[in-house]
Amino acid sequence: MSDFEEHATPEQPPAPSQSTPMAQSPEESQSRSPDRPPEAPALGLDTVAVTAGRPPHEPDQPLNPPVVLASTYVAGGELEYGRYANPTWSAFEEVLGALEGGRALAFPSGLAAVATVLDLVPVGGVVVAPRHAYLGTVGQLADLVESGRLSAAPLVDVADTEGTLALLPGADLVILESPTNPALEVADLPALCAGAREAGAAVVVDNTFATPMLQRPLEYGADVVLHSATKYLAGHSDLVLGALVTAPTERGNELYDLLDSRRRKLGSTPGAFETWLALRGLRTLPLRVERACANAAVLAHRLAQHPAVERVRYPGLRDDPGHTRATAQMTAYGAIIAVEVRGGAEAAEALTAATRLWVRATSLGGVESTLERRRRWAGESATIPDNLVRLSVGVEDVEDLWADLSAALTAVSPDAG
């Protein structure tokens, strides 16, 4: 019996907490439909990001927890050894857990977190995952199927709820992303989480794009939330880190213990300094996400009118296929935009080289704005258009960003001028 099968008894997700969601007025909160975003914890998330994981308010205590650089601790306590625990990890995990509404575990990278989850799937098991997702996740699944470790890992269009639900019977694990990377499709998280529970499958939701500031998947019934903390959580493109957050349910608590055990046994432990930097990044997460989302909304609407752009993918646009669902599940639409550039792959690649402020780089979620043509990566899905450029919108002045981007678009598509 697998670790997932052993704890697969269907159970209802926890009831939403009772305070006002971010970016909603009390009137909106009281009148919202059941499909609107679940309500936030008693303290606002902005406050939680600043106050959680701090030393006690006592004389001479530091305001911030220090970096603890230790491989070994004096015996007789709870820590014992550096592969088991670290006070710096604990502070980061306390903040992230409070923001997501569960219990967090830090890992040395997002892929290390993914690998630890997949390690719980039985030999010959089945994992359902998005066809458009973080390349590292898709790559790990492909390797496990090729080696015989998994019997199947069907990749699905998670925006197709009925099609996804049809593949869940017999699955051990369902991995979801919403919005997806880089196509920005939006999954019906409540429906898919409920379907997975009915099928006896565990659900992991990669919340890297949305962050807990915009979406809290545990309140929709997910068992585990996954983050590449390298990106928005840390927010400054200066570290590599991952995290998992388990639900405050019986199954979630059991999964927490299993994942913690695997972290120790696999040696998948994060560096103290990287974790401390990510903790510092979390303190400004609300401000960074708010500014980046505001910038993205302006840019998406302008890009939709630019003659050099064939298509804009952004859930905040009213004609986007995921707009209605994102409005129901998220408190804002995120800061990632995907554009399809007229002129094909050559024009798209030229665009990434023509900007001055926007940086041609992979990864995302930093304070700086970056862009890249996704099909330059050999492992990217063939269903992603050759001319798709993913934009990670930062916190710079939006008019500066637009001037740079618009000029570059016109330069690579002269007829668009």
Side-chain angles (χ1 to χ4, degrees):
M1 179 177 293
S2 77
D3 291 317
F4 283 133
E5 287 172 332
E6 183 178 358
H7 305 296
T9 303
E11 58 178 288
Q12 295 302 312
S17 49
Q18 297 301 311
S19 62
T20 305
M22 183 177 68
Q24 286 189 330
S25 69
E27 292 78 15
E28 289 173 320
S29 177
Q30 291 167 7
S31 63
R32 71 175 176 86
S33 71
D35 291 331
R36 289 295 298 167
E39 296 175 344
L43 287 176
L45 295 184
D46 294 18
T47 304
V48 169
V50 173
T51 60
R54 299 277 190 181
H57 291 183
E58 297 174 356
D60 292 332
Q61 284 282 351
L63 289 183
N64 296 298
V67 182
V68 177
L69 302 174
S71 63
T72 308
Y73 304 92
V74 176
E78 297 180 356
L79 302 179
E80 292 285 355
Y81 188 55
R83 188 160 38 84
Y84 303 157
N86 182 293
T88 309
W89 305 353
S90 298
F92 171 82
E93 291 166 349
E94 180 183 330
V95 181
L96 180 57
L99 289 173
E100 286 285 9
R103 300 171 69 193
L105 290 165
F107 289 83
S109 68
L111 278 182
V114 171
T116 305
V117 169
L118 294 178
D119 194 58
L120 301 185
V121 180
V123 174
V126 175
V127 178
V128 176
R131 62 174 180 166
H132 300 146
Y134 179 43
L135 279 187
T137 301
V138 175
Q140 285 196 31
L141 289 170
D143 288 348
L144 291 173
V145 171
E146 184 178 357
S147 69
R149 172 69 174 75
L150 296 177
S151 64
L155 303 180
V156 299
D157 176 1
V158 294
D160 178 2
T161 303
E162 294 304 317
T164 304
L165 289 172
L167 290 173
L168 300 189
D172 298 279
L173 174 66
V174 180
I175 299 175
L176 301 173
E177 279 191 20
S178 186
T180 60
N181 182 11
L184 298 174
E185 297 124 337
V186 181
D188 187 337
L189 293 180
L192 295 179
C193 289
R197 284 198 304 276
E198 184 176 345
V203 181
V204 174
V205 177
D206 188 330
N207 205 31
T208 299
F209 270 28
T211 84
M213 305 312 301
L214 308 183
Q215 174 176 274
R216 303 176 80 208
L218 298 181
E219 292 187 336
Y220 291 126
D223 298 297
V224 181
V225 166
L226 164 71
H227 281 282
S228 172
T230 304
K231 301 176 174 69
Y232 283 106
L233 299 187
H236 293 79
S237 305
D238 56 5
L239 62 92
V240 174
L241 199 75
L244 297 171
V245 187
T246 60
T249 61
E250 181 179 356
R251 178 199 272 187
N253 290 335
E254 291 168 338
L255 286 173
Y256 177 93
D257 291 339
L258 288 167
L259 292 165
D260 186 29
S261 175
R262 298 312 295 161
R263 179 174 71 168
R264 297 177 181 216
K265 292 173 181 175
L266 295 171
S268 190
T269 51
F273 186 64
E274 289 86 350
T275 310
W276 183 84
L277 284 175
L279 172 63
R280 187 173 66 169
L282 280 176
R283 303 304 186 193
T284 60
L285 178 66
L287 297 173
R288 290 185 286 104
V289 169
E290 181 179 15
R291 175 60 176 264
C293 286
N295 282 353
V298 171
L299 295 174
H301 283 87
R302 293 181 183 179
L303 285 164
Q305 305 301 317
H306 199 289
V309 175
E310 287 183 350
R311 178 183 178 185
V312 178
R313 299 174 184 238
Y314 181 68
L317 297 176
R318 291 186 180 276
D319 61 352
D320 187 89
H323 178 72
T324 299
R325 193 172 286 165
T327 302
Q329 293 179 176
M330 302 173 69
T331 55
Y333 301 103
I336 303 295
I337 305 170
V339 297
E340 296 171 28
V341 182
R342 294 192 188 280
E346 183 177 351
E349 198 65 50
L351 171 65
T352 66
T355 55
R356 296 180 302 104
L357 293 178
W358 294 78
V359 182
R360 182 178 183 264
T362 195
S363 197
L364 54 98
V367 293
E368 62 284 316
S369 295
T370 62
L371 78 174
E372 70 167 344
R373 187 177 73 89
R374 286 301 302 169
R375 285 289 296 279
R376 75 186 182 93
W377 296 99
E380 188 60 82
S381 171
T383 55
I384 294 298
D386 274 342
N387 62 338
L388 184 143
V389 174
R390 186 186 67 193
L391 308 175
S392 174
V393 181
V395 301
E396 304 94 336
D397 186 293
V398 70
E399 297 302 335
D400 293 335
L401 291 175
W402 174 244
D404 185 33
L405 190 59
S406 179
L409 282 166
T410 300
V412 303
S413 182
D415 292 342

